[in-house]
């Protein structure tokens, strides 16, 4: 079993940290894609991926000659996002394209399988204000919140589900919490499937559509 120091050491390398942040988009990436993203060679990428897999942060899948990796699960994603939020600041982008991508991600993005950025925090605030989520002692979905999930998102927590219905995730751009857990995943999945948000390019950024603006306003009173 890895100790806290062993797990923390996995993020102490810039290449490994860059891999984990890239994988917050929830997709499976090849070693080559991660290498190009981080600007490192194939051998370096392979070595660092192996360390992350051995440390339990990444899960590996093989299809033929291709090696795919993804974050090992919601816990690995939450840890990566939380550490990013505790970092002193976001590096200043050096190109106009990078600046635009950073601004788009700060407005609205996916964080593994839930919504983050200003949109994610606004949705979390609205659900708390409407009594759908209670933060009085820890965080929990209220009976009204469970009804809302069933009516608005057609989601009912399966009996015996191991994943928490809701938990907080510290947002690295807003320095406040958005909602994760099964609730966050259901909201993100529904938003993508119903066209309330659409992905921007191949990154993590999403854009709220006119249909999404209407839906978020009607369901939660959020002006997106």
């Amino acid at each position: 079993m890895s100790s806290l120091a062993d797990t923390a050491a996995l993020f102490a390398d810039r290449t490994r940290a860059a891999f984990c942040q890239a994988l917050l988009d929830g997709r499976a990436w090849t070693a080559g894609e991660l290498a190009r993203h981080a600007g490192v060679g194939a051998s370096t990428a392979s070595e660092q991926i192996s360390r992350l897999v051995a440390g339990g942060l990444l899960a590996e899948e093989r299809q033929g000659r291709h090696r795919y990796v993804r974050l090992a699960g919601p816990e690995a994603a939450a840890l990566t996002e939380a550490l990013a939020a505790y970092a002193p600041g976001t590096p200043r982008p050096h190109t106009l394209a990078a600046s635009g991508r950073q601004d788009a991600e700060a407005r609205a993005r996916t964080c593994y399988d839930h919504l983050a950025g200003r949109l994610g925090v606004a949705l979390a605030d609205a659900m708390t204000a409407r009594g759908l989520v209670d933060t009085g002692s820890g965080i929990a979905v209220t009976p009204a919140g469970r009804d809302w999930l069933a009516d608005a998102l057609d989601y009912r927590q399966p009996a015996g589900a191991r994943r928490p219905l809701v938990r907080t995730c510290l947002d690295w751009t807003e320095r406040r919490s958005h909602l994760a857990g099964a609730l966050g995943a259901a909201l993100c999945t529904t938003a993508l499937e119903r066209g309330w948000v659409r992905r921007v390019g191949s990154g993590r950024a999403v854009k709220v559509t006119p249909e999404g603006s209407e839906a978020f306003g009607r369901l939660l009173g959020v002006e997106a």
Side-chain angles (χ1 to χ4, degrees), residues 13 37 39 62 106 110 115-116 122 126 142 147 149 158 187 193 205 215 219-220:
D13 177 87
H37 173 78
R62 288 188 179 272
T110 55
L115 295 170
T142 65
D147 290 341
L149 278 169
L187 181 56
E193 289 179 347
L219 296 172
L220 291 168

Side-chain angles (χ1 to χ4, degrees), residues 3 14 24 28 31 35 37 52 62 64 74 113 129 143 148 183 198 215:
S3 68
R14 290 183 182 275
L24 279 172
H37 173 78
L52 289 166
R62 288 188 179 272
D113 62 357
W148 183 90
L183 179 154
R198 61 175 177 81

Side-chain angles (χ1 to χ4, degrees), residues 175-215:
R175 300 299 198 267
R176 297 180 56 213
S177 293
H178 54 251
L179 298 180
L183 179 154
L187 181 56
C188 182
T189 298
T190 300
L192 286 167
E193 289 179 347
R194 297 184 185 178
W196 298 347
V197 299
R198 61 175 177 81
R199 295 190 181 277
V200 179
S202 59
R204 296 170 58 196
V206 297
K207 183 176 181 179
V208 179
T209 64
E211 294 81 6
S213 292
E214 188 278 331

Side-chain angles (χ1 to χ4, degrees), residues 75-119:
E75 295 80 8
L79 178 59
T80 302
E81 182 85 354
L83 286 174
Y86 278 109
T90 305
R92 197 174 198 178
H94 297 294
T95 66
L96 188 60
S99 178
R101 182 168 58 252
Q102 191 176 93
D103 288 345
E105 289 185 353
R107 286 193 297 271
R109 67 181 182 279
T110 55
C111 174
Y112 190 55
D113 62 357
H114 51 274
L115 295 170
R118 289 195 291 274
L119 174 63

Side-chain angles (χ1 to χ4, degrees), residues 139-197:
I139 184 166
V141 178
T142 65
R146 290 177 181 269
D147 290 341
W148 183 90
L149 278 169
D151 295 338
L153 306 184
D154 195 26
Y155 177 82
R156 296 165 181 80
Q157 188 179 32
R162 298 180 62 184
R163 187 176 188 182
L165 184 53
V166 67
R167 63 171 180 78
T168 58
C169 182
L170 187 59
D171 197 286
W172 71 270
T173 54
E174 295 299 292
R175 300 299 198 267
R176 297 180 56 213
S177 293
H178 54 251
L179 298 180
L183 179 154
L187 181 56
C188 182
T189 298
T190 300
L192 286 167
E193 289 179 347
R194 297 184 185 178
W196 298 347
V197 299

